[in-house]
Amino acid sequence: MKSSVFPFLRLLFPRTCVVCGDVLVEGERFLCSGCLGGLPLNEGMDEEADEEMRGDLGIENLYWLFRYDRGSDYHRLVHAVKYRSNRELGVWAGRMLGERMGNADGIDRVIPVPLHPKRERERGFNQAFLIGTGIAEVLGVRLESDRLKRVVNTPSQTGLERERRAGNVADAFRLENVEGLEGCHVLLVDDVITSGATVRACMAELCKIRGIRVSVACLGKSGGI
Ligand SMILES: [Zn+2]
């Protein structure tokens, strides 16, 4: 039954590339082969800026999948996960990032940047959780979403300048349960990293755990830091 209905539905509602909108062909998933091939993957082109950011945030490693700017069509990939409820895409992209994290040995836990419960209820999911799910699967480590809570429902960061973003999100997070996290190497996961304000606010909490080491992973990195 399913097999005879499926192609028919595909004809009515063809799957399209989340970046360019072209209809996908057999064997393509989420992105057409042109957009997948052109994805500006992290090939170490930002090493110096990343190093600076690592030092600034006090984190061990910074992993990101691809580079995007506001004008780039690739921002639609993040947008599709976040606002168009493309949950499978979130996990798939997380897996892709996990597979590219060559030196990720030693990471014990994956902790997604939480949404405020009210925001998560409205959206139905937390995009960082989906991405973290894909990464944790590849690394073979536990994903823990009950450690860090968002206690302030901050307005959207989009459109705010750097200083306002930092003030907006500072004190937004609280650690709930640190049992067993002492001395762990935690991977904090978010969808995008721009100013680093969210990571900084999470770090303020995570650093309260004795002997903790933190690395960060995100899908998109904006060039305009
Ligand atoms: Zn495309």
Side-chain angles (χ1 to χ4, degrees):
M1 175 71 182
K2 205 173 178 183
S3 58
S4 63
V5 168
F6 232 59
F8 179 65
L9 285 175
R10 284 276 158 77
L11 209 62
L12 285 176
F13 306 103
R15 296 175 313 139
T16 54
C17 170
V18 295
V19 178
C20 73
D22 280 359
V23 173
L24 296 179
V25 298
E26 192 70 38
E28 291 176 342
R29 207 170 171 215
F30 308 118
L31 277 79
C32 72
S33 46
C35 289
L36 187 61
L39 191 65
L41 290 167
N42 179 7
E43 306 282 7
M45 69 280 235
D46 279 356
E47 258 175 35
E48 254 177 61
D50 288 359
E51 181 70 51
E52 202 177 306
M53 196 175 218
R54 273 203 299 272
D56 188 33
L57 296 171
I59 58 173
E60 293 217 3
N61 279 304
L62 174 62
Y63 303 97
W64 48 277
L65 184 63
F66 66 94
R67 173 88 173 263
Y68 81 101
D69 300 298
R70 285 230 174 120
S72 153
D73 289 343
Y74 284 103
H75 78 270
R76 293 190 190 130
L77 202 158
V78 174
H79 198 271
V81 179
K82 207 166 167 174
Y83 300 111
R84 291 170 60 201
S85 306
N86 202 331
R87 298 176 200 219
E88 282 176 43
L89 170 64
V91 179
W92 174 83
R95 269 190 221 119
M96 194 177 184
L97 176 56
E99 277 157 15
R100 294 176 59 85
M101 289 171 50
N103 60 340
D105 286 353
I107 286 173
D108 305 299
R109 313 287 168 93
V110 170
I111 297 186
V113 169
L115 286 181
H116 188 272
K118 186 167 179 276
R119 179 89 54 94
E120 187 165 345
R121 266 199 308 277
E122 284 162 6
R123 192 172 286 173
F125 60 94
N126 173 7
Q127 69 279 5
F129 179 87
L130 301 176
I131 300 159
T133 299
I135 297 175
E137 204 180 286
V138 173
L139 300 186
V141 298
R142 280 217 311 261
L143 174 85
E144 300 200 342
S145 56
D146 59 345
R147 303 292 200 155
L148 202 56
K149 300 278 176 190
R150 199 167 195 135
V151 289
V152 181
N153 195 7
T154 51
S156 170
Q157 299 283 84
T158 319
L160 294 182
E161 64 279 7
R162 194 187 164 120
E163 291 74 23
R164 292 235 2 244
R165 281 182 185 217
N168 198 23
V169 77
D171 302 323
F173 302 97
R174 285 286 172 276
L175 266 176
E176 286 273 291
N177 164 22
V178 300
E179 205 188 318
L181 284 184
E182 290 89 354
C184 277
H185 186 178
V186 158
L187 184 72
L188 183 67
V189 176
D190 207 356
D191 51 356
V192 287
I193 191 158
T194 322
S195 67
T198 303
V199 170
R200 195 169 285 112
C202 290
M203 282 300 281
E205 285 298 298
L206 291 172
C207 286
K208 293 175 181 169
I209 303 165
R210 199 161 45 84
I212 194 93
R213 292 153 61 209
V214 181
S215 288
V216 169
C218 55
L219 288 189
K221 193 183 87 155
S222 158
I225 293 163

